[in-house]
Structures are given as structure tokens and as C-alpha cells.
């Protein structure tokens, strides 16, 4: 609400051409507690007029011959509530007879009081207070007008927010006035006329009598009424309308008109109907919802369990990967040591041909070295770093061909049964490694059935599922099932861990199942075990299927002649002095001329020195420059240079970028001579 100015702090505007009159007015107004602003000229006086000015004081002579258009323009443009009081100081009074100019000023200024000079202070103060009282009433009128305007604005806002339509019915003339919102609630456009008869005719026939009775009772009693009813729109649709009305009476208490609001409650009615329907079936819905929540809870528990299993599998896979990397590194270094041992034993045996006892001791040492080499191959298989000759293989034919071997391995107390599906596609595998894996599983099954039993080997085609953690597609599945004592859950979890074994000390290495697991993963398949105490064990190996055909490689009937070689100049590159010495000794014993380099950089110096080198044998794993990098650099120097790569990892890492003959460590002198003969085509 607009605050009413306080005359003590508001300004009375004084303009006189004589400074003495202004000083007197200022002093007198100050004595009655009114602040005063004095204008020095008429334009300043006109510009200082505003709605907060209580009254203005001016002398007649200052206004008589002046241009008053700016002042009269402001007076004519005052708000409707404003009529600024003017006090005109004059020597001739304010009557037209004595002062004809007063009539002109009264006509121009409107609210004018003439004060004849000389005047005493009491008279001036009385006129000023009268002007203040009149101006205050104007301010009060302004405040009431603004309150009404604000109230009307709030009412309109409330009606719009509540989507309420207003209407009014004069009871004597039955004249009906409705707002645009009210017309819309009855399905009429704002531009269409809407009478009381049309409003009644739009009420549903089943509700009309109830509505008319409510209206009559309200008029007779003077009480408000509220009722809802169905409304028929011009398009034939049915809507629900709520009416609230009040009777307005004249001074004598006679009902004069009905004033009310209307609202569309169609949505509310529909929700109420739905709520009733829902309440009617609440028990059934509660039971259904309870069942749904139970299923959701079971699903959540299953998802949590599945996630826990997945996390456990991930942790196990990470553990196995870490062990595999460690195992692979150890196996590689052990291969290098066996290389030196086997090479030197091989050479030493030639010098002790006539000493049977020494030959027997050397043979025992060589057998131990071979067993060590077999152990490293198992470690590399677990680490998925063994050399695999992957090709299409008919697994049905492979398994049938192993029948005799399997029967001899498991013994007569165990019955072997094959359940092999015919016509299956081939698998992309290394046939020799698959045979070793099957034989290993059969031996494990035999040990689990000391009192006899049965062993079933099955082969079928399976489709991978997302939970199998395999690429989608078809897989050949080999299943080996025994009727042995089985494993408990804790043992089953550790079964494929390297070096874990339930056999007696010295009866097993604990690498058999881990080797099979490594083989399956290396071939993009999987290995899994199912077992329970007293219910035997089932092992499954999955291998990816292929549509490739098996190549007929024929048979090379030419026997190998590793001992017959021509003399060649060979460069041996190895950072391990022990292995390099062993290899050099074996090559020189074969009659070759040998150059030795302990790094890739030194080898490149020898290759660029002008010597005619017939073959380079290089280790793969070397610091600074590995065998692949050395081979690329060497071929840039001599593109025709034959190169043989010696490595414990027969499958070079991805991205090596070379495709050269490889010599697997550890190797004997005969194997070395055979590979040299193949490369140099002796």
C-alpha cells in the first residue's frame, strides 16, 4: 500500500519574486513544522511540482503576466485522486469585483485560496493547515484506490490460478453475465453470447432438478450454495462443473442478485472414479504388488549374487593372470638355464663315448633336463605362452583315435563310454595339445575312482551365452565325466590353480588342470569343472568351431639327416653369456664358423663390417633391442640374410612384426642342426 506523506517531512513549494515574501513564508511554515522548498523562478517552480507536494504558495504578481502553460499542463495531467492546493498571495483579495485576475487564476489552477496582504501569521498558518488537511484526504483516497486495484488484481490472479469462471445473475431482470473462463467451462467460446436459459439448458437432464432446487433454497434462505453437476457441451461431450454462489441483497434485505464462481472438475471426478475402482480392488492389487515386490526382491538378490560371482571370477582371473605372468617369466628363464645344461650335456656325451659309467650319468642328467623342459612347457601352457599349431581338427576322429590309449591309461576296472555327435564342424585347435589334455583328464578321473567306476567322454555343439564370457558363436564342447568321489566347493575353487594338488606328495605336479585351463583360454575357449562330494566330477573344454577345411599335408618320407650339414658362417646373438657359449660350442662342433655378439647393436656392427655371414641365430628377449627389432634392422643391411629366432616363447608377442623361422628353447644339438639345415636348405 502507498504510504501517505508526512507534512513534517514533505515540502511546501513557495515562489515569490520578492525574497522578503519567501523568507516570511519559509519562517511561518517552519513555525508550524512544515519543510519548505523555495523556487527562484517560474520554470523551477513548475518543474518542482510533484505528487508529494502538499501545497504551493505563489504571489499574484509573479503569475499575472507569466507563461503558465507548463504549470497548467501539470495540473491537468494530475491523477484522478489529486487536486493540488494553491495559496495565492494578493493585494486586492480574491473576488472578481476587486481583482478580475483572480477569476483567471482560479480557472487555470482549480484548487486556489487567495490570501490578501498584509496578513498575519495566524491567518497564514490556518490556510496552510487547511490545505494540508485537504491534501491528506487526497492521499487517503489514493491509498484506497490502490488497495482496491491491488485487491482486484489479486482476485483476478486467484481466479486465473484456480481456473475459476465468474458469473452474476440479476434476479429481477434475469440478466446473466459470465466471464470468458465461465463460458469455456460450459463449452462456449468467449465471443459467443451466453444467457441464463442457455446455462440451464446445458445442465444434464438427470441433474437439472437438483440444481434448480439448490438455487431456489439459496434465494429463499439467503444462504450460500455449492453444487456439482454434469454439463453437456455443444459437441455432445459430458463434463463435470462445480458451482458456488452467494445471494446479494439490497438495503431492505430483498434478494437482488446471485454472484458465483464455476470450475471444471471433470478430471477430479475421473480421478475419484478411478480411486473408487482402485479401492474396490485394493486387496487384489496389494496381493499383486506384494508378489511383484517379492519377484523384484528375488531378482535383486539374484543380480547381487550374480554380481558377486562375477566379481569373484574377476578377482580369480586377475589372480590367475598375475600368476600366469610370473609363471611365464620363470619358465622362460628356466628354459634358458636348461638350454645351457642340455647343450653342454649333449656335447659332453660325445667326448665320453668309451666310458659307460660316465655315459650313464650323463644320460640321467639329460633325462632330468628333459623332465625340466616338460615342466616348463606345462608352465608355459598355464601362462598361455606355449607354441600352438592351430588348425582345423576333426575332434570326433581325434577322440575315437585315442580310444585304445584312454582304455590303457584308466585300466580295466573303469568302463569307458564314448558319446560323440556325428557331423559336427571342425574346431580350431592344436590337436597334440588336445590329446594331452584329454589324457590328463582321464588320468585324473582314474585316480578319483580307485575302486573302479565309469568314464564318459562326450562331444557336442554348444552355443555361447553372454554369461559364458566368450565371443558369441558355436563351440565344440568336450565333456569328461567320472563317477569318482568328487570335490567339495573349496577344493573346486582351487582346482585349476597352479601347483595345487590333492594327490600324495610326489604323485603330481598340480599343473595338469591349470595347463588345460591355459590351453582353452589361449585357443579362445574356456575350461570349467562341475563337482560335488559323492557325485563325481564333470570337466568341460570349449573350443571355437570353424568352417575351414582340413588341409591334406601329405607325408614327407625323407628322413631327417641332422648330422650332415655344410660349413657355414653363423652369427650368434644372445645377451646371456652362458647360453651363447653353449650354442657356439654346439655350432663349432658341427663344423660351422661362428661369430658371437652379446647385443643387437654389436650384431649390427658385425653385419655391416663386410664379412659374408650365411645365417644369424638371435635370441628374442634381449634388453635394448629385441630379436624382432634386430631382424628388421639386419634385413635392411642384407635383405637376403637367413635369420633363425630362438625363444622360449614360440608365439611371439602381438605386434612383433616378423614372420621368421623359430627355434624353441631348450634345444639339443640335433635339433639345432636340423633347423639350420631347413633354413639354409642343405
Amino acid at each position: 500500500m502507498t504510504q501517505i506523506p508526512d507534512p513534517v517531512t514533505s515540502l511546501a513549494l513557495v515562489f515569490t519574486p520578492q525574497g522578503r515574501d519567501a523568507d516570511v513564508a519559509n519562517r511561518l511554515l517552519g513555525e508550524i513544522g512544515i519543510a519548505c522548498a523555495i523556487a527562484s523562478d517560474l520554470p523551477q517552480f513548475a518543474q518542482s511540482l510533484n505528487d508529494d507536494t502538499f501545497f504551493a504558495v505563489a504571489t499574484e504578481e509573479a503569475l499575472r503576466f507569466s507563461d503558465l502553460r507548463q504549470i497548467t499542463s501539470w495540473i491537468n495531467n494530475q491523477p484522478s485522486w489529486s487536486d493540488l492546493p494553491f495559496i495565492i498571495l494578493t493585494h486586492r483579495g480574491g473576488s472578481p469585483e476587486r481583482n478580475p485576475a483572480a477569476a483567471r487564476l482560479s480557472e487555470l489552477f482549480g484548487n486556489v485560496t487567495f490570501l490578501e496582504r498584509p496578513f498575519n501569521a495566524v491567518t497564514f498558518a490556518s490556510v496552510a493547515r487547511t490545505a494540508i488537511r485537504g491534501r491528506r484526504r487526497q492521499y487517503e483516497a489514493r491509498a484506497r484506490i490502490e488497495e482496491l486495484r491491488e485487491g482486484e488484481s489479486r482476485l483476478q490472479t486467484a481466479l486465473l490460478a484456480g481456473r475459476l469462471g465468474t458469473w452474476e445473475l440479476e434476479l429481477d431482470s434475469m440478466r446473466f453475465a459470465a466471464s470468458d473462463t465461465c463460458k469455456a467451462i460450459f463449452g462456449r467460446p468467449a465471443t459467443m453470447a451466453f444467457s441464463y436459459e442457455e446455462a440451464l439448458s446445458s445442465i444434464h437432464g438427470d441433474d437439472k432438478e437438483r440444481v434448480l432446487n439448490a438455487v431456489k433454497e439459496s434465494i429463499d434462505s439467503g444462504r450460500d450454495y455449492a453444487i456439482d453437476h454434469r454439463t453437456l457441451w455443444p459437441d455432445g461431450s459430458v463434463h463435470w462443473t462445480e458451482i458456488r454462489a452467494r445471494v446479494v441483497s439490497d438495503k431492505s434485505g430483498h434478494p437482488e442478485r446471485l454472484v458465483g464462481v464455476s470450475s471444471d472438475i471433470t478430471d477430479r471426478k475421473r480421478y475419484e472414479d478411478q480411486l473408487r475402482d482402485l479401492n474396490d480392488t485394493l486387496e487384489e492389487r496389494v496381493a499383486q504388488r506384494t508378489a511383484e515386490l517379492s519377484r523384484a526382491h528375488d531378482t535383486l538378490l539374484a543380480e547381487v549374487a550374480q554380481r558377486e560371482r562375477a566379481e569373484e571370477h574377476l578377482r580369480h582371473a586377475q589372480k590367475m593372470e598375475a600368476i600366469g605372468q610370473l609363471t611365464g617369466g620363470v619358465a622362460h628363464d628356466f628354459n634358458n638355464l636348461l638350454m645351457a645344461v642340455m647343450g653342454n650335456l649333449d656335447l659332453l656325451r660325445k667326448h665320453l663315448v668309451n666310458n659307460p659309467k660316465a655315459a650313464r650319468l650323463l644320460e640321467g642328467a639329460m633325462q632330468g633336463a628333459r623332465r625340466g623342459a616338460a615342466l616348463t612347457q606345462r608352465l608355459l601352457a598355464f601362462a598361455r605362452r606355449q607354441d600352438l599349431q592351430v588348425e582345423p581338427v576333426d575332434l570326433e576322429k581325434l577322440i575315437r583315435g585315442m580310444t585304445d590309449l584312454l582304455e590303457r591309461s584308466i585300466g580295466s576296472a573303469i568302463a569307458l563310454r564314448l558319446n560323440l555327435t556325428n557331423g559336427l564342424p571342425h574346431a580350431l585347435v592344436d590337436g597334440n595339445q588336445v590329446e594331452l589334455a584329454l589324457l590328463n583328464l582321464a588320468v585324473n578321473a582314474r585316480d578319483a575312482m580307485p575302486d573302479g567306476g565309469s568314464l564318459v567322454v562326450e562331444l557336442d555343439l554348444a552355443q555361447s551365452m553372454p554369461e559364458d564370457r566368450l565371443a558369441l558363436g558355436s563351440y565344440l564342447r568336450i565333456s569328461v565325466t567320472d563317477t569318482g568321489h568328487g570335490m567339495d566347493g573349496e577344493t573346486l575353487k582351487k582346482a585349476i590353480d597352479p601347483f595345487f594338488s590333492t594327490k600324495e606328495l610326489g604323485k603330481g605336479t598340480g599343473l595338469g588342470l591349470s595347463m588345460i585351463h591355459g590351453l582353452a583360454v589361449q585357443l579362445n575357449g574356456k575350461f570349467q569343472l562341475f563337482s560335488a562330494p559323492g557325485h563325481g566330477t564333470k570337466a568341460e573344454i570349449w573350443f571355437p568351431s570353424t568352417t575351414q577345411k582340413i588341409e591334406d599335408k601329405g607325408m614327407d618320407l625323407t628322413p631327417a639327416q641332422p648330422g650332415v650339414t655344410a660349413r657355414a658362417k653363423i652369427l650368434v646373438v644372445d645377451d646371456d653369456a652362458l647360453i651363447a657359449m653353449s650354442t657356439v660350442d654346439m655350432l663349432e662342433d658341427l663344423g660351422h664358423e661362428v661369430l658371437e655378439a652379446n647385443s643387437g647393436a654389436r650384431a649390427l656392427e658385425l653385419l655391416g663390417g663386410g664379412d659374408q655371414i650365411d645365417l644369424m641365430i638371435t635370441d628374442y628377449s634381449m634388453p635394448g633391442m629385441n630379436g624382432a627389432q634386430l631382424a628388421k634392422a639386419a634385413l635392411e643391411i642384407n635383405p637376403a640374410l637367413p635369420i633363425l629366432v630362438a625363444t622360449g616363447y614360440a608365439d611371439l608377442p602381438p605386434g612383433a612384426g616378423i614372420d621368421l623361422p623359430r627355434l624353441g628353447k631348450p634345444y639339443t644339438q640335433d635339433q639345432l642342426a636340423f633347423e639350420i639345415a631347413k633354413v639354409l636348405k642343405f
Side-chain angles (χ1 to χ4, degrees), residues 47 115 130 210 280 383 501 574 579 647:
Q47 291 174 0
L115 184 61
T130 301
R210 181 167 54 87
D280 292 340
S501 177
D574 201 309
I579 298 174
T647 177

Side-chain angles (χ1 to χ4, degrees), residues 465-603:
M465 303 297 290
E467 58 268 20
D468 293 328
R469 299 185 299 279
L470 293 174
L472 295 180
S474 300
Y475 289 79
L476 276 299
R477 178 172 57 189
I478 301 175
S479 303
V480 179
T481 307
D482 64 55
T483 57
H485 47 67
M487 294 179 283
D488 57 27
E490 193 64 28
T491 304
L492 189 61
K493 287 182 180 179
K494 301 177 181 179
I496 63 172
D497 289 358
F499 307 111
F500 176 80
S501 177
T502 59
K503 298 177 181 179
E504 300 176 20
L505 187 64
K507 293 294 184 67
T509 63
L511 287 173
L513 296 181
S514 63
M515 179 196 72
I516 298 173
H517 169 74
L519 171 68
V521 174
Q522 191 173 0
L523 291 172
N524 300 317
K526 70 173 183 176
F527 174 63
Q528 55 186 356
L529 293 170
F530 307 92
S531 185
H535 293 83
T537 300
K538 180 179 181 180
E540 288 185 358
I541 317 176
W542 293 46
F543 296 119
S545 66
T546 181
T547 57
Q548 298 180 25
K549 301 297 183 182
I550 299 177
E551 297 181 6
D552 185 5
K553 300 180 180 179
M555 297 182 62
D556 186 3
L557 301 178
T558 304
Q561 300 290 333
V564 181
T565 60
R567 179 180 177 83
K569 191 171 187 178
I570 300 175
L571 172 61
V572 175
V573 187
D574 201 309
D575 63 304
D576 191 314
L578 192 63
I579 298 174
M581 180 182 67
S582 175
T583 303
V584 168
D585 289 342
M586 286 191 290
L587 290 172
E588 289 179 344
D589 185 68
L590 292 172
H592 298 295
E593 181 182 353
V594 184
L595 298 177
E596 183 180 351
N598 60 0
S599 67
R602 176 57 181 162

Side-chain angles (χ1 to χ4, degrees), residues 14-15 121 126 136 213-214 229 258 320 382 421 432 435 462 492 543 586 592:
V14 177
F15 167 62
S126 176
R136 180 178 288 278
N213 290 337
H229 60 81
L258 277 175
M320 298 301 289
F382 165 72
T421 304
N432 292 332
E435 289 178 347
L492 189 61
F543 296 119
M586 286 191 290
H592 298 295

